[in-house]
């Protein structure tokens, strides 16, 4: 394939270039002396293991891994160089031939198997008015970064899952990657920004065909089965330092420092993909996630995109489950006016519990006894009866208890039409927003650690990476993943 593609350019460049290209192509990526050296080293290492009865399989694995790494590094270096040499000396953006070319400019790359040295051409693009390294773009390398694509991926994955100070030793142990925590953080940030960029393009582009993850109906004569799409929305807050290093100066000027900011989060899935056995927590086999610091509107846009991927346009029924957040219901009304709205039952219950605890003392038997029949009424869609019970009771309550009762009445009044649980239960729908709440908890586990502060760029980048991972968009960022996903199938 390479030779076919290279032909016309070689002609244009003349015979010497053609000869060089052929030599490059014929150059093996692995030399007999490398193999001989590797084999010798391997035998020595394995012999050593044999001599130690206490050294088990772990020692064999580690020795083989260690000694094969150098061989891999050499192969990667040669294959990378061959690929770089075959790249046309044209601008990677507009294909204009470069001028003021400088050849064999070195760059050290941190690959998964160790440091590799790359030599490539550098030149000026008159059209784009920029200096370009065409080989870097072809290899998936970025300016100001020395990480290879596999190392970029590992940094993104590890740092989005754990703090850098943990990611550093984990990367070193698991993958043998020796990178400082600050380098890993920078690399993850870069990948996160790339993910944000991709997400923006995705959100702006129309959804053309249903995604392959939505199973097509077997046989075209069968009508598609009607389904319900469930959407759950929630928010949580994150600790951020908006003005790094300016805290004291701002305080002196009497300016308030905002530390906590909202992360808007949502999930969507088809009802048939939610399995529940008995009273255990429901398990959702396929779902999409959204999380952003950028505000309600961007969240709703991203959610819409994911909902479309899950078949929103063909859904017979759209159900939104959330707590009483006014912003949520406004946004839902705005975008999904036809959707069925449901107030999370556990939030509804919590309001009654607050009244019970206020009247009878927190968590007392009397409180439990008082609240039980009322909870039952809520579950049975009899919220109006609960409201009148509370109304009747209010004049006889202490001022503190009356206040809590009034809050509950108001909350129930404004959510009344969303408190229909009987039909939902019958249809096997969720009555609570547990799915999104557990997502929020999981995200908070990563983002809210002791002493952690985030900048808006930092947390959005990491959130975006995490969501790409969960939504199985990882391959968009790291196309080399297609090799592993193909071999797994
Ligand atoms: Zn250009």
């Amino acid at each position: 394939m390479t030779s076919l593609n290279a032909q016309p350019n070689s002609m244009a460049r003349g015979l010497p270039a053609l000869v060089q290209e052929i030599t490059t192509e014929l150059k093996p990526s692995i030399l007999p002396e490398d193999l001989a050296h590797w084999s010798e080293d391997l035998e020595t290492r394995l012999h050593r293991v044999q001599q130690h009865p206490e050294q088990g399989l772990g020692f064999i694995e580690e020795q083989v891994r260690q000694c094969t790494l150098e061989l891999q590094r050499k192969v990667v270096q040669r294959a990378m160089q061959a690929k770089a040499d075959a790249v046309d000396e044209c601008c990677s953006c507009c294909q204009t031939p470069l001028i003021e070319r400088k050849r064999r400019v070195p760059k050290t790359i941190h690959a998964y198997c160790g440091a590799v040295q790359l030599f490539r051409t550098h030149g000026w693009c008159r059209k784009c008015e920029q200096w370009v390294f065409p080989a870097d773009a072809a290899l998936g390398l970025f300016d100001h970064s020395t990480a290879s694509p596999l190392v970029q991926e590992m940094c993104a994955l590890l740092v989005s899952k754990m703090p850098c100070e943990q990611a550093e030793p984990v990367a070193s142990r698991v993958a043998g990657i020796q990178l400082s925590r600050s380098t890993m953080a920078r690399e993850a940030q870069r990948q996160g920004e790339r993910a944000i960029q991709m997400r923006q393009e995705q959100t702006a582009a129309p959804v053309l065909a249903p995604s392959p993850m939505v199973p097509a109906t077997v046989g075209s004569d069968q009508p598609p089965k009607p389904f319900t799409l469930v959407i759950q929305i929630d928010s949580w807050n994150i600790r951020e330092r908006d003005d790094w290093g300016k805290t004291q100066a701002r305080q002196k000027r009497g300016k308030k420092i905002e530390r906590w900011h909202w992360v808007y989060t949502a999930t969507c899935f088809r009802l048939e993909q939610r399995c529940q056995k008995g009273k255990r927590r429901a398990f959702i086999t396929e779902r999409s996630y959204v999380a952003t610091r950028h505000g309600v509107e961007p969240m709703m846009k991203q959610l819409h995109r994911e909902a479309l991927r899950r078949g929103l346009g063909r859904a017979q029924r759209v159900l939104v489950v959330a707590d009483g957040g006014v912003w949520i219901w406004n946004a839902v009304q705005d975008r999904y006016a036809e959707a069925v709205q449901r107030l999370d039952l556990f939030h509804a219950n919590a309001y009654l519990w607050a009244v019970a605890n206020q009247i009878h003392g927190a968590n007392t038997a009397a409180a439990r006894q008082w609240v039980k029949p009322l909870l039952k009424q809520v579950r049975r869609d009899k919220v109006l009866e609960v409201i009148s019970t509370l109304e009747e009771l209010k004049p006889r309550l202490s001022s503190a208890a009356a206040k809590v009762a009034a809050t509950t009445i108001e909350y129930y009044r404004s959510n009344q039409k969303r408190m229909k649980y009987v039909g939902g239960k019958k249809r096997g729908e969720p009555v609570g927003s547990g799915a999104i709440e557990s997502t929020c908890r999981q995200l908070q586990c990563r983002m809210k650690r002791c002493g952690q502060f985030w900048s808006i760029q930092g947390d959005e980048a990491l959130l975006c990476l995490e969501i790409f991972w969960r939504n199985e968009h990882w391959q968009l960022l790291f196309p080399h993943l297609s090799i592993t996903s193909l071999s797994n199938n």
Side-chain angles (χ1 to χ4, degrees):
M1 213 163 78
T2 326
S3 56
L4 278 177
N5 289 341
Q7 206 94 43
N9 295 322
S10 325
M11 297 293 205
R13 271 187 248 149
L15 200 60
L18 182 64
V19 170
Q20 203 217 323
E21 221 153 68
I22 290 169
T23 2
T24 312
E25 266 173 43
L26 291 180
K27 217 182 266 173
S29 7
I30 194 158
L31 302 175
E33 54 262 42
D34 293 334
L35 278 176
H37 180 260
W38 167 74
S39 160
E40 196 183 316
D41 184 24
L42 182 70
E43 292 311 327
T44 315
R45 285 168 182 261
L46 293 181
H47 184 68
R48 215 177 298 149
V49 180
Q50 289 300 342
Q51 284 175 325
H52 289 269
E54 78 286 0
Q55 295 187 355
L57 178 58
F59 284 79
I60 299 176
E61 288 178 294
E62 199 58 56
Q63 290 288 16
V64 172
R65 180 164 89 146
Q66 296 273 332
C67 110
T68 315
L69 220 51
E70 176 55 18
L71 192 67
Q72 292 183 38
R73 197 191 63 80
K74 281 182 177 159
V75 175
V76 166
Q77 174 151 314
R78 283 198 198 106
M80 170 185 74
Q81 192 58 57
K83 192 103 191 175
D85 292 343
V87 172
D88 290 334
E89 294 177 337
C90 295
C91 171
S92 20
C93 304
C94 68
Q95 305 310 316
T96 305
L98 299 177
I99 55 164
E100 293 184 49
R101 276 175 284 196
K102 209 168 138 195
R103 295 206 171 86
R104 294 191 65 76
V105 181
K107 178 174 181 153
T108 304
I109 313 288
H110 290 100
Y112 81 96
C113 47
V116 285
Q117 193 77 15
L118 170 69
F119 295 94
R120 75 279 202 241
T121 298
H122 184 220
W124 177 257
C125 173
R126 268 175 298 196
K127 209 166 154 195
C128 301
E129 299 195 323
Q130 61 174 356
W131 290 99
V132 192
F133 286 103
D136 288 19
L139 289 166
L141 303 171
F142 299 103
D143 295 349
H144 315 299
S145 166
T146 59
S148 74
L150 239 64
V151 170
Q152 293 165 20
E153 184 197 351
M154 286 173 197
C155 291
L157 187 55
L158 287 170
V159 176
S160 61
K161 301 282 176 205
M162 62 185 81
C164 295
E165 55 271 28
Q166 286 174 23
E168 183 187 324
V170 170
S172 154
R173 177 65 203 114
V174 175
I177 295 171
Q178 310 298 334
L179 287 179
S180 73
R181 65 190 67 173
S182 56
T183 306
M184 290 191 76
R186 256 199 318 275
E187 200 47 55
Q189 173 78 24
R190 206 186 321 264
Q191 301 309 318
E193 281 163 12
R194 222 154 57 79
I196 293 173
Q197 178 70 35
M198 274 184 189
R199 185 181 65 188
Q200 269 163 3
E201 288 160 14
Q202 272 180 357
T203 317
V207 177
L208 296 171
S211 133
M213 74 181 172
V214 178
T217 332
V218 190
S220 52
D221 50 335
Q222 277 178 348
K225 243 170 83 185
F227 65 91
T228 299
L229 189 78
V230 183
I231 294 176
Q232 298 192 3
I233 305 172
D234 204 356
S235 61
W236 48 283
N237 50 30
I238 197 168
R239 201 176 187 200
E240 268 173 14
R241 184 170 282 175
D242 290 338
D243 298 283
W244 269 104
K246 295 182 205 153
T247 309
Q248 282 187 342
R250 280 183 74 88
Q251 274 168 346
K252 266 186 205 159
R253 278 182 277 137
K255 286 205 173 151
K256 213 179 131 215
I257 311 273
E258 280 296 326
R259 289 278 191 245
W260 295 96
H261 297 286
W262 292 107
V263 180
Y264 299 97
T265 316
T267 187
C268 62
F269 53 89
R270 288 185 181 211
L271 186 59
E272 73 230 28
Q273 276 151 358
R274 175 180 180 269
C275 323
Q276 188 158 32
K277 280 189 186 151
K279 286 202 163 183
R280 259 189 258 158
R281 183 181 281 280
F283 175 74
I284 302 157
T285 52
E286 279 182 39
R287 59 192 278 203
S288 291
Y289 301 86
V290 172
T292 182
R293 262 283 287 112
H294 288 167
V296 178
E297 197 40 43
M299 185 277 278
M300 290 305 282
K301 274 192 188 147
Q302 292 163 30
L303 171 63
H304 191 64
R305 175 85 192 175
E306 288 306 319
L308 285 173
R309 281 179 67 223
R310 298 273 160 205
L312 175 73
R314 286 167 290 133
Q316 187 191 38
R317 183 177 155 90
V318 179
L319 167 69
V320 183
V321 191
D323 63 29
V326 176
W327 66 269
I328 295 178
W329 299 120
N330 288 342
V332 169
Q333 194 61 43
D334 200 36
R335 208 173 250 273
Y336 306 114
E338 305 288 302
V340 177
Q341 303 181 359
R342 179 167 302 146
L343 179 73
D344 169 65
L345 179 62
F346 305 96
H347 274 85
N349 289 346
Y351 276 77
L352 268 182
W353 273 107
V355 182
N357 290 340
Q358 197 58 247
I359 300 174
H360 294 287
N363 299 316
T364 56
R368 273 197 294 279
Q369 208 183 347
W370 180 85
V371 82
K372 225 175 147 183
L374 294 167
L375 292 177
K376 200 170 169 182
Q377 283 181 322
V378 169
R379 268 200 315 273
R380 296 198 167 164
D381 300 352
K382 292 181 177 158
V383 64
L384 284 177
E385 285 171 39
V386 177
I387 291 173
S388 50
T389 306
L390 291 175
E391 288 283 17
E392 275 167 38
L393 201 65
K394 217 169 67 180
R396 284 176 279 143
L397 295 176
S398 69
S399 67
K403 208 173 153 193
V404 180
T407 312
T408 306
I409 292 167
E410 201 192 312
Y411 183 76
Y412 284 177
R413 279 218 174 103
S414 53
N415 284 295
Q416 198 184 311
K417 63 167 185 173
R418 303 184 184 107
M419 297 174 72
K420 303 259 188 289
Y421 302 110
V422 177
K425 278 237 158 175
K426 264 188 204 153
R427 279 186 292 268
E429 294 168 357
V431 291
S433 50
I436 191 62
E437 274 156 39
S438 71
T439 304
C440 291
R441 264 196 306 279
Q442 289 160 15
L443 294 176
Q444 288 182 70
C445 273
R446 169 66 188 95
M447 307 298 282
K448 273 192 194 172
R449 301 215 183 190
C450 230
Q452 268 185 335
F453 284 101
W454 299 91
S455 65
I456 181 157
Q457 295 94 328
D459 60 23
E460 188 69 13
L462 285 198
L463 277 172
C464 197
L465 284 177
E466 177 62 23
I467 299 301
F468 262 56
W469 175 259
R470 285 175 180 242
N471 286 347
E472 294 172 24
H473 288 331
W474 203 246
Q475 199 178 315
L476 297 176
L477 279 173
F478 306 107
H480 54 250
L481 209 71
S482 61
I483 299 175
T484 30
S485 39
L486 281 177
S487 58
N488 283 343
N489 285 335

